[in-house]
Amino acid sequence: MLILTVFLLLVPFEILPRRFFTPLAIAILVSFVVLVALEGLVAVIELISTFGHVLSYARIMAIGIASLMLAVVANEMVGAMGSVVVGVLFGLLFHLVNFAIGLFTPAIHALRLHYVEFFGEFFSPGGTAYRPLGHWRSSPQP
């Protein structure tokens, strides 16, 4: 269904011919009905959350593009200043800020995405209790 949606979105951008619009729209509707029939209403929620995950990763990519543009601005400022020393200082300052943003922001967003949104997909409670260094503890006294 996601692939069909991507193909359908290529029609308005004139990458695919307009004659593909109707068959793709019908295929999406049929696949939606099949999805709900096979998986139930939970499939609709999962489909919407999948789109949200894709948008979250797109946000991380946008942060990378903003970092790239900040680096371009820092490099251009070096040549735009009247003095070479002042230009290099401003360039270093901008690159330092860009480095700090690039170091923390994508890491925080990716960790949030993995632990908040994806953790429930792969974690199932149960099993044995985690007891670090449990073998060093003395056995309980009767």
Side-chain angles (χ1 to χ4, degrees):
M1 191 164 181
L2 293 173
I3 293 170
L4 289 171
T5 305
V6 169
F7 283 145
L8 184 68
L9 290 174
L10 293 176
V11 173
F13 292 109
E14 298 178 356
I15 296 171
L16 289 176
R18 293 184 56 85
R19 66 178 181 263
F20 287 144
F21 183 78
T22 304
L24 285 170
I26 292 171
I28 287 175
L29 290 175
V30 169
S31 65
F32 183 75
V33 171
V34 169
L35 183 69
V36 171
L38 292 177
E39 297 292 327
L41 290 177
V42 176
V44 177
I45 296 169
E46 287 293 325
L47 184 66
I48 292 170
S49 69
T50 300
F51 280 120
H53 297 328
V54 170
L55 291 176
S56 292
Y57 279 112
R59 183 183 64 230
I60 294 173
M61 289 185 292
I63 291 170
I65 293 171
S67 176
L68 171 76
M69 292 312 298
L70 187 58
V72 168
V73 167
N75 290 338
E76 294 292 326
M77 281 186 75
V78 172
M81 295 290 171
S83 171
V84 173
V85 174
V86 174
V88 168
L89 287 176
F90 270 106
L92 286 175
L93 178 68
F94 269 70
H95 281 299
L96 183 65
V97 169
N98 189 19
F99 180 74
I101 291 172
L103 187 64
F104 294 112
T105 306
I108 291 170
H109 283 288
L111 287 172
R112 184 204 61 82
L113 183 65
H114 291 324
Y115 285 112
V116 174
E117 295 185 19
F118 285 144
F119 194 67
E121 300 283 331
F122 306 108
F123 175 74
S124 61
T128 59
Y130 176 66
R131 292 189 193 118
L133 307 174
H135 63 282
W136 284 346
R137 294 185 184 152
S138 61
S139 61
Q141 300 294 332

